[in-house]
Amino acid sequence: KIQSAQASVSTERNRILNYFAGQDLHLSPIEEHGPYEKLNKRLQGLFAVAFWRRVVCSTANDANTHAAQQRITDVLRGDIWRTSLDLCLSYCVATAPEEKLALLARSFPTSGIKELRLDLKGLEIFDENLPALATNLPLELEELNLDLSFNTQISNFGITNFVNALPAKMRELTLGLSQTSVSPEFQDRRDSLEGLRQQ
């Protein structure tokens, strides 16, 4: 927590806390304040993004690993001020794709995300996994870049169901579909949300 931090000179600590609290830099700092909480969550979210793949894709299957995965998804979910997010699960196949997609869904902040980039290459996803992925996307999402390449079991049927379950505010969709079972004709429309909806 920023309010628990120390500085080599106490007056500098006061100035820093007062700056984030939005009050006169020369006053005694408020030890608990709303802006501190926001800053704490934003900093935690920054570290959560940096370490997210390493934690979520861990091959260990023990209580400590599960606790770390739960913690990092909770922290990222709490960063409600974030408007864009970039997460990678490519080739993370140590466990079933359903488990990884569930961790992914729990990681989305509860509000605010408008732009999302997901790298799910080679995750061994099936058609039946896609509707749940779509319905768990942030409700305010407007732009999605989703790479599903090298998931050989994904077909036109899965992509159609995915597109039909996307959040209502979605206006831009870019799909990576290389080395899937999606037909060339269908792939020609992969960068057009309206084109895919017309299939």
Side-chain angles (χ1 to χ4, degrees):
K1 292 184 176 183
I2 189 171
Q3 61 268 40
S4 301
Q6 299 297 316
S8 56
V9 180
S10 61
T11 54
E12 290 303 310
R13 175 182 181 274
N14 295 350
R15 287 173 181 269
I16 292 169
L17 292 180
N18 283 332
Y19 173 80
F20 288 116
Q23 67 171 6
D24 189 312
L25 300 183
H26 299 92
L27 296 176
S28 295
I30 302 170
E31 292 301 326
E32 295 296 332
H33 199 275
Y36 300 162
E37 186 64 21
K38 176 181 177 180
L39 181 61
N40 287 332
K41 286 185 177 292
R42 297 249 52 203
L43 288 172
Q44 290 169 3
L46 182 66
F47 284 106
V49 169
F51 290 99
W52 188 85
R53 175 180 168 83
R54 180 180 296 180
V55 173
V56 171
C57 291
S58 172
T59 58
N61 187 20
D62 54 57
N64 289 335
T65 299
H66 294 300
Q69 291 173 339
Q70 183 66 52
R71 174 63 178 156
I72 204 165
T73 57
D74 287 347
V75 166
L76 192 50
R77 190 175 183 83
D79 187 2
I80 60 174
W81 301 273
R82 179 180 293 277
T83 59
S84 63
L85 186 60
D86 188 337
L87 295 175
C88 176
L89 277 175
S90 62
Y91 301 100
C92 184
V93 294
T95 58
E98 293 85 355
E99 295 180 29
K100 298 306 181 190
L101 292 176
L103 288 171
L104 177 68
R106 288 206 303 269
S107 300
F108 298 140
T110 53
S111 64
I113 295 293
K114 298 187 182 303
E115 299 177 28
L116 183 62
R117 178 181 293 270
L118 299 176
D119 185 348
L120 305 183
K121 291 194 298 287
L123 197 59
E124 299 182 356
I125 296 173
F126 293 87
D127 281 343
E128 51 265 34
N129 301 132
L130 293 176
L133 173 61
T135 55
N136 284 314
L137 291 172
L139 294 178
E140 298 175 24
L141 188 64
E142 297 177 0
E143 299 179 24
L144 174 63
N145 186 312
L146 175 62
D147 195 343
L148 294 169
S149 301
F150 297 94
N151 287 285
T152 58
Q153 299 300 316
I154 292 178
S155 69
N156 295 12
F157 178 76
I159 296 299
T160 298
N161 288 336
F162 173 78
V163 169
N164 289 336
L166 287 171
K169 293 185 179 181
M170 276 281 302
R171 58 181 177 81
E172 186 174 328
L173 174 65
T174 302
L175 291 174
L177 297 172
S178 176
Q179 301 300 313
T180 64
S181 296
V182 176
S183 68
E185 296 78 14
F186 208 97
Q187 291 198 39
D188 287 341
R189 297 174 179 265
R190 67 185 180 276
D191 293 332
S192 168
L193 182 56
E194 289 306 313
L196 287 169
R197 282 174 172 160
Q198 291 170 10
Q199 290 293 319

